[in-house]
Amino acid sequence: MIIMGKIIIEKSIYSFEDIRLGNWSESDPYFHQALSFCQSWLCGKEEFEMSTSGSTGEPKNIQVKRKQMEVSAAGTGDFFGLDKGSKLLCCLNIWMVAGKMMLVRALEWDAEVTVVKPIENPLLETDDNFDFVAMVPMQVAACLDHPITRPRIRQIKNLIIGGAPSSSLLIEKILEQGISAFQTYGMTETVSHIALAKISAGDLIYKVLPGVKIGTDKEKRLWIKAPMAGEKKLQTNDLVELLDEDSFKWQGRADFTINSGGIKLQPELMEPKIIPIIQSLFGHQEFFLFGKPDERLGQKLVLVIQQKEKDVKKEQDLLLALKENFNRYHLPKEILYVDELVKTASGKINRPESYKIAK
């Protein structure tokens, strides 16, 4: 069998055979790690250690079998019709499962993959056209906002977005630019995504990959049984609306649910509706809703905004605008500010830690 695949790092091009034989030298620790992982894969390593993000419990290191990663890569390849000779861009953190799986897809598809560091705007590092790219929402937004990379991201044939949900504003920009993009659903334990939702107007509807079985528990939290998860049943903390045996709407995290005086509030469903109001007053500042302990209500709804200084006038205007658009149960009882939001390794807002330093 002729192996055509190759890895491009800056100005160096390595064939898969070069990598398998160790005929490469990269002094940069990040690129060295990427090639070392690829060498281990090409030499037949059967198990790999991954750090979880905490979707099914506390973050931890787990062992993932090669077969799980092969099944995941095959499912994605079949979905998008990608195979030998496809051009991929790996711009996600290769220390995490999402980055590693981009390398595995290239290796399994005998494809060409360009590897860049996981910076905010990775398309500034390459002007090539790609068949398949995975990014986090922050990267997509940065590419769309930059005049040089806006046309480049439009040229990507298949873009998948994961790590965190895309905001309604980002979805609007994606649709305006006519980009073929999919929101992913998955976690380390499922070895990347097990479902994809085509980004379109209206609610995102996730369709599972072949062989994946889903259901919900009595609290409407999603459970998954999939070959890429080793066939074991995984119980998540994600609240979903199950549409049929193959599709669902994501509602948010059960552990973020706020119980305020017996009224259950789901921040991740409420936040997209607040975005236009926040942006009209504070610009493109990040924010989140959180439950603050309260003697009378149990928890009270608070809004935490990334902003160095409190602006009394803007705060008053914000509260007035929220009152005009939401019922009293969905109104924040307090607004807090934080200089810099704390993020997880995968780029998500760490809500509990960010709340701790808010004032």
Side-chain angles (χ1 to χ4, degrees):
M1 181 180 72
I2 299 176
I3 299 177
M4 303 295 293
K6 56 187 176 182
I7 293 182
I8 301 171
I9 294 177
E10 295 181 326
K11 295 182 179 180
S12 300
I13 301 175
Y14 303 100
S15 71
F16 287 175
E17 186 64 9
D18 286 335
I19 295 167
R20 187 183 69 82
L21 296 173
N23 294 334
W24 50 271
S25 59
E26 285 289 340
S27 57
D28 186 286
Y30 185 82
F31 295 131
H32 180 87
Q33 175 62 25
L35 291 171
S36 294
F37 172 81
C38 291
Q39 184 181 34
S40 296
W41 184 271
L42 291 166
C43 289
K45 187 174 180 179
E46 288 294 330
E47 208 166 68
F48 299 85
E49 186 172 87
M50 305 278 185
S51 298
T52 74
S53 62
S55 295
T56 60
E58 289 297 317
K60 59 184 180 295
N61 290 333
I62 62 171
Q63 295 296 318
V64 175
K65 296 186 182 302
R66 181 189 187 93
K67 183 64 178 176
Q68 295 173 245
M69 301 169 83
E70 289 173 340
V71 170
S72 177
T76 301
D78 289 344
F79 186 92
F80 290 105
L82 299 167
D83 51 21
K84 189 173 293 189
S86 297
K87 297 179 73 171
L88 282 58
L89 173 65
C90 178
C91 57
L92 297 176
N93 191 341
I94 54 93
W95 300 102
M96 308 293 287
V97 67
K100 282 186 171 67
M101 278 308 303
M102 282 303 297
L103 298 176
V104 170
R105 289 171 190 133
L107 296 166
E108 285 296 291
W109 300 345
D110 197 9
E112 174 187 305
V113 59
T114 297
V115 181
V116 301
K117 291 184 178 180
I119 61 174
E120 186 174 2
N121 191 336
L123 294 185
L124 287 173
E125 300 295 302
T126 174
D127 59 1
D128 211 343
N129 293 331
F130 298 98
D131 298 304
F132 183 79
V133 179
M135 293 185 184
V136 297
M138 176 185 69
Q139 291 176 316
V140 178
C143 291
L144 286 170
D145 289 341
H146 198 290
I148 292 176
T149 55
R150 191 178 305 118
R152 291 178 185 175
I153 196 171
R154 285 201 300 261
Q155 295 302 312
I156 296 172
K157 289 184 181 177
N158 300 287
L159 173 66
I160 63 172
I161 307 171
S166 298
S167 69
S168 57
L169 179 66
L170 180 58
I171 288 174
E172 187 179 318
K173 289 182 178 180
I174 289 169
L175 295 176
E176 283 177 357
Q177 296 298 320
I179 296 168
S180 175
F182 292 77
Q183 184 76 40
T184 69
Y185 176 85
M187 59 207 69
T188 305
E189 294 90 337
T190 62
V191 191
S192 191
H193 55 266
I194 54 92
L196 292 155
K198 174 73 173 176
I199 289 183
S200 58
D203 293 337
L204 296 184
I205 297 176
Y206 291 86
K207 299 283 186 180
V208 300
L209 296 180
V212 176
K213 296 180 180 178
I214 57 173
T216 55
D217 65 5
K218 62 182 181 181
E219 296 177 0
K220 296 186 177 181
R221 297 180 306 166
L222 182 71
W223 60 257
I224 301 159
K225 191 174 182 183
M228 53 281 281
E231 296 294 354
K232 62 183 177 181
K233 184 177 178 180
L234 289 174
Q235 180 62 62
T236 77
N237 284 323
D238 289 301
L239 298 170
V240 301
E241 178 187 344
L242 206 60
L243 302 178
D244 55 44
E245 62 182 11
D246 296 321
S247 59
F248 62 90
K249 293 181 184 178
W250 182 78
Q251 303 284 298
R253 295 269 297 185
D255 44 348
F256 293 158
T257 301
I258 300 165
N259 190 331
S260 184
I263 304 295
K264 289 190 176 180
L265 306 172
Q266 198 60 46
E268 289 156 309
L269 288 182
M270 298 165 59
E271 287 162 356
K273 299 173 184 177
I274 297 175
I275 288 174
I277 300 173
I278 293 284
Q279 291 183 340
S280 68
L281 293 167
F282 293 90
H284 294 278
Q285 296 288 14
E286 291 189 280
F287 72 95
F288 64 94
L289 296 169
F290 201 74
K292 180 178 181 179
D294 183 81
E295 286 189 14
R296 185 173 65 87
L297 297 171
Q299 290 179 300
K300 68 177 181 180
L301 184 66
V302 298
L303 173 65
V304 181
I305 303 175
Q306 181 171 284
Q307 180 90 350
K308 292 189 181 298
E309 295 181 2
K310 180 175 180 175
D311 188 315
V312 176
K313 177 64 169 63
K314 285 183 180 180
E315 185 174 308
Q316 290 173 344
D317 291 343
L318 174 60
L319 289 172
L320 183 61
L322 291 172
K323 284 179 181 178
E324 291 175 351
N325 288 274
F326 301 97
N327 66 52
R328 61 191 182 94
Y329 298 112
H330 293 78
L331 290 175
K333 304 298 186 288
E334 190 176 346
I335 297 176
L336 303 175
Y337 301 88
V338 61
D339 290 351
E340 191 76 29
L341 292 170
V342 181
K343 299 289 185 71
T344 66
S346 58
K348 300 176 187 175
I349 297 174
N350 186 324
R351 295 173 185 244
E353 293 303 314
S354 295
Y355 167 74
K356 284 180 184 177
I357 59 174
K359 54 191 176 185

